Amino acid sequence: MKVPSKEKEKPLCEFYTHIGDEDWVLPGFGANPNEVKLLKEYGNLAKCYNSLHPTHQGVIRDAIKEMGFGMNQFLDEDIVSLAQYNKYCYYVAGLVGINAIELSILSKVCAPFSIPDETKRSLCISAGLLLQKVNIIRDIREDLLQIPQPRIFWPKEVRIRGLEQGYKGYISLSEI
């Protein structure tokens, strides 16, 4: 279901406030049947969240808040530069990488790294960016065939450079 961007702003920015609300639903949203079902039956996910230790809940809530505000920046904005592309990927996946490591350490699934926090954060973000970029490359055909308008995540500056260099619309993956 295609929801106008204006209608997405508030739910994206307020989602973190509902994360533990077992009665909360968001009908009419979702890009595919699975997302629609998740948002209609959100209480099941909230129950799982509520069963977590408060420290773990805080890590998740903080990341969801930053993710919602960050994704909101790209609702109607074309990704023009590599910097914007990396920023978008950070919000949708870099934060997931950070979250996974923080939760693994808090849960004692893995030992704390003996590297500086900034280095650890940078490595987590890089891993998340890599995964998101692989997803974008994997889904390029599906995204370009979206009706009524294709979704294009690759930066415009790279697409234009590809055309100028004679790639006939193909983009050098090494730039992404």
Side-chain angles (χ1 to χ4, degrees):
M1 163 177 235
K2 182 71 173 158
V3 177
S5 298
K6 267 293 189 213
E7 292 179 34
K8 292 179 184 179
E9 289 176 9
K10 186 175 179 182
L12 270 175
C13 293
E14 293 180 355
F15 181 73
Y16 77 97
T17 66
H18 302 288
I19 197 166
D21 184 348
E22 296 177 18
D23 297 321
W24 185 77
V25 294
L26 189 59
F29 282 78
N32 61 56
N34 290 331
E35 289 178 11
V36 171
K37 183 177 180 182
L38 173 68
L39 293 169
K40 281 184 179 176
E41 301 174 9
Y42 181 78
N44 295 322
L45 187 60
K47 286 177 189 170
C48 291
Y49 173 82
N50 291 334
S51 72
L52 298 172
H53 187 277
T55 306
H56 299 161
Q57 288 177 0
V59 167
I60 293 168
R61 185 180 48 253
D62 291 348
I64 295 294
K65 180 180 181 180
E66 186 176 356
M67 190 179 291
F69 280 95
M71 290 170 63
N72 193 44
Q73 295 175 32
F74 293 94
L75 286 177
D76 285 320
E77 184 176 319
D78 285 339
I79 297 174
V80 176
S81 68
L82 283 170
Q84 286 176 304
Y85 180 66
N86 285 330
K87 188 175 180 182
Y88 169 79
C89 289
Y90 165 77
Y91 285 123
V92 300
L95 287 166
V96 174
I98 293 168
N99 229 291
I101 295 302
E102 286 180 352
L103 291 172
S104 296
I105 292 169
L106 283 171
S107 302
K108 300 194 182 344
V109 170
C110 68
F113 297 94
S114 59
I115 57 176
D117 282 345
E118 277 308 308
T119 303
K120 176 176 63 179
R121 181 176 174 82
S122 176
L123 291 171
C124 293
I125 291 170
S126 293
L129 293 179
L130 171 69
L131 294 175
Q132 182 61 26
K133 290 175 181 185
V134 167
N135 287 343
I136 288 171
I137 292 167
R138 180 198 64 208
D139 296 341
I140 185 90
R141 185 174 189 275
E142 177 185 332
D143 290 341
L144 290 174
L145 295 175
Q146 287 289 312
I147 296 174
Q149 180 178 335
R151 295 185 306 186
I152 300 174
F153 294 101
W154 291 24
K156 189 174 185 176
E157 72 180 26
V158 173
R159 294 188 314 240
I160 289 171
R161 196 166 32 255
L163 290 170
E164 289 169 350
Q165 294 174 7
Y167 297 146
K168 308 257 189 282
Y170 296 98
I171 301 159
S172 172
L173 294 181
S174 65
E175 290 196 61
I176 303 292

